[in-house]
Amino acid sequence: GTSLSNAGPFTVFAPTNVAFNKLPAGTVDGLMKDDKKDDLRNILQYHVALGGLKSDDFKDGQVLGMANGDNVTIHVKEGKITLNNSVQIIGTMQASNGIIYAIDRVLLPPAAK
């Protein structure tokens, strides 16, 4: 079972195509290989938080627990929202089961300890 099998609502941070292009060459192809399924799932789940969080709900320094078990730190400065000090929210879409935020970089989970 996956944590995404319940009905939500979810907050999804969705990297744009440009965001994927910023990854080192071959990263995406590498993650599509069978032996990397766990890594890919980990990265995908690192883009999903439970609960439908509106941008007004975000507070500077807020820590969001993500579906993969890691955290993302929110920073709000002069109306701009960034994740983990580097990833910027560039758009918002309401979805039937939550909110989707377009982001300008792919969120990479912290290295496994």
Side-chain angles (χ1 to χ4, degrees):
T2 129
S3 53
L4 303 185
S5 55
N6 73 40
F10 300 111
T11 299
V12 177
F13 298 104
T16 61
N17 290 340
V18 173
F20 283 105
N21 293 340
K22 290 179 184 174
L23 291 171
T27 302
V28 176
D29 290 340
L31 287 168
M32 295 298 160
K33 296 194 168 92
D34 277 352
D35 63 341
K36 294 291 186 199
K37 277 195 182 117
D38 287 344
D39 292 348
L40 180 61
R41 182 181 316 114
N42 188 38
I43 291 171
L44 292 175
Q45 290 185 354
Y46 192 55
H47 287 77
V48 178
L50 295 177
L53 294 166
K54 296 186 168 64
S55 52
D56 303 349
D57 297 336
F58 293 136
K59 307 270 183 283
D60 192 50
Q62 179 179 1
V63 174
L64 285 186
M66 307 307 279
N68 74 335
D70 286 317
N71 294 325
V72 164
T73 303
I74 304 272
H75 291 283
V76 182
K77 289 196 179 80
E78 294 160 19
K80 287 200 191 321
I81 302 168
T82 56
L83 314 172
N84 292 349
N85 283 324
S86 61
V87 178
Q88 195 162 324
I89 291 179
I90 54 177
T92 309
M93 288 160 286
Q94 187 71 44
S96 57
N97 62 344
I99 301 178
I100 301 169
Y101 293 98
I103 54 176
D104 69 344
R105 291 179 162 301
V106 176
L107 286 166
L108 294 174
K113 293 178 180 66

